[in-house]
Amino acid sequence: MARIVMKFGGTSMAGTERIRRVAQLVKRQAERGDQVAVVVSAMAGETDRLVNFCREANALYDPAEYDVVVAAGEQVTSGLLAIALQAMGCKARSWLGWQMPIHTDSAHAKARIGTIDNEALLASMAGGTIAVIPGFQGLTDDNRISTLGRGGSDTSAVAVAAAIKAGRCDIYTDVDGVYTTDPRIVARARKLKAVTYEEMLELASVGSKVLQTRSVGLAMKEGVRVQVLSSFIDENAPDADSIPGTMIVTDEELEKSDVERQLITGIAADKNEAKITLTRVPDRPGAVSNIFAPLAEANINVDMIIQNVGRDKGETDVTFTCPQADLARCTDVLQNQREAIGYNRLISDTKVAKISVVGVGMKSHAGVASTMFTALADRKINIQAISTSEIKVSVLIDEDETELAVRVLHTAYGLDAE
Ligand code: ADP
Ligand code: ASP
Ligand code: MG
């Protein structure tokens, strides 16, 4: 008998019919004799709807109150799934974030999980009751509801798996595994049997939304075994224990397996970045820190940064990217700091996309970046910014060219399926 965490995303939970289907999958797993904890997302589109209400109420909303609003979507689906399971004769109950509780820090809208009290949960599971846990939500030290950032139910699932020492955390979604790129953009994307934690972490962080970045980091740190698989299957489909999806594995496991290593593992696109340029910033020590210190203070993550060569008047332009969701706050902070920074104009652009290629292979191979630049140049796609890490190269381009760029690169790196 094992403990298993099953996580179901928004499309899998979209409506009573889908929830009933999920309940069947959960029941089947429980009937194998496993103790099951289920982590659920809100219905597809629901979180967006709730976020929009907050924006309409005030563009500079209080993140603590935003959390109260957006956590509601998961509360609904967790109750509904418990009801559906009970209707099938299973013992089930919901455990809201504050009831367990799942303790988080107080960085509202992007809180981090600290500890999870597992005692009552484990006792209930040991008594044969299926635990249904709304993803995405937790409780701060001062007793306020928090949420974990968009896509955060994946992280809830991995955290619960670590807390109850589950044998595996199955992330059920609307595709049957992790592909070389989003299979909805590139029909020739190939499904990966396994991908390493390190590569998955990088892919997620550059926009491959199949798993939330933090969930992968946490799984890597806690040694949680994670499988990505489809919930859109019929009764005759192979069960989850036979690993029909994609396993996230360590480097050593991959070495030992029969999976052939490619130079590039995957390509990701992110349309949720915004580009900000500050013109005529003084070109002197401390100027850049005057820009980024207040942004860090406001908890805004800055990604790509370019500082141009100074002009004769001792001035320069500074360009950087941040999540579009933070753009209003970012602009607000910079406008308040205008005197201290001493820039001329603030120009923002949300019509950009970041395209990234990821692969451990590039640690030991030269030429990965130049293949990217050449392939994009051949299609006359202009590069606005570049950033690299040990296993990744990213470029910022016009948003309209996203699909074309991903397809072109997928072919250029020889990833297309036969
Ligand atoms: P869920 O609601 O189940 O959490 P998400 O929409 O967050 O689902 O993630 C699943 C989606 O991720 C897929 O529908 C797919 O379009 C997208 N995706 C992006 N990159 C990849 C990739 N490399 N492999 C598989 N799916 C990907
Ligand atoms: N419902 C939340 C979102 O849409 C969390 C999740 O689904 O993972 O971001
Ligand atoms: Mg998701």
Side-chain angles (χ1 to χ4, degrees), residues 191-221:
K191 186 175 142 191
L192 302 164
K193 266 165 97 182
V195 57
T196 63
Y197 287 102
E198 190 187 10
E199 287 167 314
M200 194 63 237
L201 189 64
E202 197 81 52
L203 276 170
S205 78
V206 292
S208 194
K209 69 166 186 167
V210 62
L211 287 177
Q212 198 205 30
T213 311
R214 277 187 187 169
S215 71
V216 188
L218 190 63
M220 187 165 163
K221 179 166 153 266

Side-chain angles (χ1 to χ4, degrees), residues 7-12 41 44 151 154 171-175 177-185 200 203 207-211 228 267-268:
K7 181 260 167 177
F8 293 91
T11 356
S12 309
S41 284
D154 296 331
I171 308 277
Y172 286 84
T173 182
D174 53 9
V175 286
V178 178
Y179 282 70
T180 46
T181 191
D182 190 337
R184 295 183 198 285
I185 297 184
M200 194 63 237
L203 276 170
S208 194
K209 69 166 186 167
V210 62
L211 287 177
V228 176
I267 300 174

Side-chain angles (χ1 to χ4, degrees), residues 178-181 192 195-208 216 261-269 354-363 368-369 372 387-395 406 409-410 413 415:
V178 178
Y179 282 70
T180 46
T181 191
L192 302 164
V195 57
T196 63
Y197 287 102
E198 190 187 10
E199 287 167 314
M200 194 63 237
L201 189 64
E202 197 81 52
L203 276 170
S205 78
V206 292
S208 194
V216 188
R261 233 190 184 140
Q262 304 282 330
L263 179 59
I264 295 303
T265 303
I267 300 174
K354 184 172 71 174
I355 314 294
S356 309
V357 299
V358 172
V360 167
M362 70 177 81
K363 279 186 189 171
V368 169
M372 184 176 197
S387 70
T388 62
S389 81
E390 214 181 2
I391 64 164
K392 173 205 81 181
V393 185
S394 304
V395 294
V406 172
L409 294 174
H410 201 265
Y413 289 109
L415 295 175

Side-chain angles (χ1 to χ4, degrees), residues 64 89 104 114 207 257-258 386 396:
T104 73
S257 73
D258 56 352
I386 302 169
L396 197 70

Side-chain angles (χ1 to χ4, degrees), residues 7-10 40-43 45-48 70 73-74 135-136 149-155 212:
K7 181 260 167 177
F8 293 91
V40 296
S41 284
M43 295 190 197
E46 179 62 7
T47 310
D48 286 342
V70 299
E74 273 74 8
F136 188 47
R150 297 305 306 270
S153 298
D154 296 331
T155 303
Q212 198 205 30

Side-chain angles (χ1 to χ4, degrees), residues 234-286:
D234 60 36
E235 284 81 48
N236 309 319
D239 63 68
D241 297 351
S242 67
I243 317 294
T246 301
M247 277 305 290
I248 318 295
V249 299
T250 60
D251 234 34
E252 297 78 61
E253 278 177 275
L254 195 74
E255 290 299 327
K256 276 190 232 139
S257 73
D258 56 352
V259 176
E260 197 189 327
R261 233 190 184 140
Q262 304 282 330
L263 179 59
I264 295 303
T265 303
I267 300 174
D270 185 356
K271 294 184 182 176
N272 295 315
E273 295 271 300
K275 181 178 80 169
I276 294 164
T277 301
L278 297 180
T279 66
R280 301 180 57 187
V281 175
D283 189 13
R284 59 160 187 258

Side-chain angles (χ1 to χ4, degrees), residues 137-148:
Q137 55 176 253
L139 185 71
T140 68
D141 281 345
D142 48 355
N143 274 337
R144 302 207 62 180
I145 305 260
S146 53
T147 65
L148 310 177

